[in-house]
Amino acid sequence: KAGVTQTPRYLIKTRGQQVTLSCSPISGHRSVSWYQQTPGQGLQFLFEYFSETQRNKGNFPGRFSGRQFSNSRSEMNVSTLELGDSALYLCASSSTAGAAEKQFFGPGTRLTVL
Amino acid sequence: GNSVTQMEGPVTLSEEAFLTINCTYTATGYPSLFWYVQYPGEGLQLLLKATKADDKGSNKGFEATYRKETTSFHLEKGSVQVSDSAVYFCALTGGFKTIFGAGTRLFVKA
């Protein structure tokens, strides 16, 4: 069974640009969660999608948005990039919404904002 | 709201030393508690979990006990190996959200 895949693995953007990250969950998983990982803040929850609906949202500004498609693949978009958005963005999939113990994480997308 | 606090790193140990990484939490209700590990260049992997008070989670020589009276879930291992070098995250789930600690980086020297 293939694991969670994230594309691209590395990304460099400049301030003010926008970026879209993609996550393909494990086959059969309907829940996708997104996290931002930074050295100073650790791992912070962005949002969770289940069956194309956003189930939970963390405390991030509206510049951060996401969506999920009918095949459970998810995208995360960040508009008007700021230097502080530089981070590792992780997605995790599970078969059940909100089930942390059943989450499988992808390797992440490393975003650098210059 | 719910929160997780874990000891700051990095923690540097020699091989075969005893490891403790402290984790305390604040939560309403009865959350489930987890330890995740992140090896260099990889995503997080679930290391162990405990779902109720006094439960002990264990895996790969690591263990942690859910202590409700002290709101703690400290990670321990009796004898660390170089291959245990990684970042360790304490986490809790409550209300369908997972809250992670800031992570503790562990370096194990041969």
Side-chain angles (χ1 to χ4, degrees):
Chain A
K1 201 181 221 185
V4 178
T5 57
Q6 292 186 246
T7 57
R9 291 293 309 277
Y10 302 91
L11 207 48
I12 299 175
K13 293 285 188 179
T14 55
R15 278 182 300 174
Q17 288 187 307
Q18 74 159 16
V19 67
T20 300
L21 312 181
S22 179
C23 173
S24 293
I26 290 172
S27 177
H29 284 189
R30 294 162 64 190
S31 168
V32 174
S33 298
W34 288 91
Y35 297 87
Q36 182 194 65
Q37 183 180 0
T38 57
Q41 300 294 320
L43 209 64
Q44 294 187 289
F45 172 76
L46 279 154
F47 27 66
E48 179 189 12
Y49 286 86
F50 184 82
S51 293
E52 302 179 65
T53 302
Q54 188 179 87
R55 288 280 303 242
N56 277 300
K57 192 175 189 306
N59 297 321
F60 278 81
R63 300 185 298 107
F64 291 82
S65 63
R67 58 178 176 168
Q68 187 178 35
F69 302 94
S70 58
N71 62 357
S72 293
R73 189 177 70 84
S74 177
E75 287 183 348
M76 191 193 94
N77 187 76
V78 187
S79 62
T80 320
L81 284 166
E82 300 176 0
L83 295 179
D85 297 333
S86 294
L88 180 67
Y89 290 87
L90 295 169
C91 85
S93 80
S94 67
S95 55
T96 310
E101 66 266 35
K102 298 177 184 175
Q103 282 186 338
F104 293 84
F105 282 81
T109 294
R110 170 80 58 189
L111 171 64
T112 302
V113 182
L114 303 176
Chain B
N2 295 346
S3 66
V4 175
T5 303
Q6 58 182 107
M7 62 188 288
E8 285 190 30
V11 173
T12 303
L13 295 173
S14 297
E15 212 166 19
E16 300 184 3
F18 185 85
L19 168 71
T20 299
I21 299 179
N22 291 338
C23 171
T24 57
Y25 67 91
T26 303
T28 54
Y30 303 94
S32 294
L33 302 175
F34 309 87
W35 277 100
Y36 283 84
V37 59
Q38 184 179 36
Y39 297 104
E42 299 183 15
L44 273 70
Q45 301 173 29
L46 179 64
L47 181 60
L48 53 83
K49 67 175 183 178
T51 57
K52 62 182 188 295
D54 300 326
D55 264 5
K56 177 185 282 188
S58 60
N59 186 24
K60 299 181 181 179
F62 291 89
E63 37 180 59
T65 302
Y66 190 145
R67 302 279 188 208
K68 191 164 175 58
E69 64 275 13
T70 55
T71 61
S72 65
F73 192 56
H74 304 323
L75 181 69
E76 296 181 336
K77 186 174 185 183
S79 175
V80 293
Q81 305 301 312
V82 172
S83 57
D84 294 326
S85 297
V87 182
Y88 292 83
F89 292 90
C90 184
L92 68 81
T93 295
F96 295 103
K97 277 187 184 179
T98 303
I99 308 296
F100 287 84
T104 301
R105 184 174 294 278
L106 170 66
F107 291 107
V108 180
K109 303 179 297 185

